[in-house]
Amino acid sequence: MKTSDQPAYEILALRYATTDLMRPRRENFFPGMDLHDGEMPLDYYVWVIRGEGRCLLVDTGFGTEAASTRHRTLLHQPTDLLQRAGIEPTKISDVILTHLHYDHAGNLDRFPKARFHLQEDEMRFATGRNMCHACLKAPFECRDVTQAVEIVFDGRMVFHDGDAEIFPGIEVFRIGGHSGGLQVVRVSTARGKLVLASDAFHFTENRLRRAPFPIVYHVGEMLDGFARCETLAGGDPDLLIPGHDPDVRLRWPALSPDLPDIVRLDLPPQTKFTY
């Protein structure tokens, strides 16, 4: 639980896109897992951290072009959803990029005044020799990566080499696994230190089964990352937020009745996770 000397941030999960409801379960687990198949769609989120006079964004989502080429259903432009939550994109002071895959690092030019926080390993991975391999470069969009490089030259990229504190109560931790320099974000809230796991695990079920998502650079790092995220959350499963699980929107309370795709993660979940 939170102590009196810790900041207490509000955290919003904004669901901006989804997949076809008929997406099969087998596409969400490493080949060879013993699964009973069925439907298991992905949801796509960005996250807002606000409080203590600050407003940060975690990841930036994708837009219309990527939705079309990758056959995803774009429910909202991420920037439009931010505005519906009362947040002007130009007022975002800092953006934490968990990694540079297309669904986490599009729309970078929509945040012209922000500083960006990225693991140096991730930039090295996304611009180096690994991008010569089709299966490793597939989750990246070249334009997103080159825009990130432009931000470096503009003097607005802050590189981290492992774990770091961005502000009091907002920390990043290098996990790797899914990408070359994936990082997760831990945030102090009124109910404890909450971990935005991003793609350290797409679904809670990936973590509980120790069953990796099939888009993975280093399987060992991904498996170790499951345990590290659990440790970072102090063993409380309700403080672990998966990156693409529709369960997030269903379990946590909406910001308001007319905004069902924006939920408050700093509040307790309304239902228990069932698996």
Side-chain angles (χ1 to χ4, degrees):
M1 295 299 292
K2 175 186 174 294
T3 60
S4 58
D5 61 344
Q6 290 179 315
Y9 292 97
E10 177 185 50
I11 308 178
L12 307 178
L14 289 69
R15 183 181 78 138
Y16 71 91
T18 191
T19 61
D20 189 316
L21 292 176
M22 300 301 289
R23 178 187 174 94
R25 281 172 52 81
R26 65 179 177 273
E27 293 187 10
N28 297 326
F29 297 92
F30 204 72
M33 297 302 300
D34 182 16
L35 299 170
H36 296 289
D37 216 350
E39 290 77 41
M40 196 176 188
L42 287 165
D43 277 349
Y44 295 83
Y45 301 90
V46 297
W47 301 271
V48 168
I49 303 168
R50 61 184 178 184
E52 305 293 318
R54 304 182 180 100
C55 187
L56 290 78
L57 184 65
V58 178
D59 291 341
T60 54
F62 58 77
T64 305
E65 184 176 351
S68 176
T69 58
R70 293 180 182 263
H71 308 291
R72 301 294 186 254
T73 300
L74 188 67
L75 302 170
H76 315 272
Q77 290 286 354
T79 50
D80 291 345
L81 207 52
L82 282 169
Q83 290 176 321
R84 293 194 67 191
I87 301 164
E88 286 298 324
T90 56
K91 302 293 186 178
I92 296 287
S93 65
D94 292 79
V95 175
I96 300 172
L97 295 172
T98 62
H99 58 305
L100 292 175
H101 284 177
Y102 82 96
D103 51 326
H104 296 262
N107 305 307
L108 298 183
D109 57 345
R110 302 290 186 93
F111 305 94
K113 298 181 181 179
R115 293 187 307 168
F116 289 78
H117 298 264
L118 184 71
Q119 289 289 321
E120 188 170 2
D121 278 350
E122 181 67 6
M123 181 63 84
R124 186 181 299 113
F125 179 69
T127 58
R129 63 190 301 162
N130 285 288
M131 295 302 99
C132 297
H133 304 296
C135 63
L136 292 179
K137 74 180 179 182
F140 294 90
E141 288 288 341
C142 180
R143 183 57 186 145
D144 298 340
V145 176
T146 57
Q147 281 191 343
V149 172
E150 289 170 2
I151 290 168
V152 176
F153 277 78
D154 195 34
R156 293 186 294 120
M157 185 69 77
V158 180
F159 286 112
H160 299 284
D161 182 16
D163 307 342
E165 183 179 67
I166 306 296
F167 293 109
I170 303 174
E171 305 162 283
V172 295
F173 299 86
R174 186 200 178 279
I175 299 295
H178 176 66
S179 189
L182 173 76
Q183 60 186 351
V184 304
V185 187
R186 186 169 70 173
V187 185
S188 177
T189 73
R191 66 185 186 93
K193 291 189 175 183
L194 181 146
V195 176
L196 296 173
S198 182
D199 291 1
F201 50 94
H202 285 54
F203 295 86
T204 296
E205 189 175 343
N206 291 119
R207 176 179 62 82
L208 292 178
R209 293 175 65 102
R210 295 307 198 251
F213 192 80
I215 297 176
V216 55
Y217 172 60
H218 193 299
V219 175
E221 283 191 344
M222 181 177 280
L223 291 168
D224 290 343
F226 296 158
R228 189 165 194 218
C229 287
E230 291 165 350
T231 298
L232 290 172
D236 185 343
D238 288 337
L239 292 173
L240 284 166
I241 309 300
H244 290 272
D245 200 327
D247 194 54
V248 171
R249 187 180 64 90
L250 299 177
R251 292 189 61 210
W252 272 272
L255 181 63
S256 66
D258 62 328
L259 294 173
D261 284 329
I262 305 176
V263 298
R264 288 273 306 270
L265 300 177
D266 56 298
L267 299 178
Q270 297 176 312
T271 61
K272 292 185 179 296
F273 177 75
T274 56
Y275 162 63

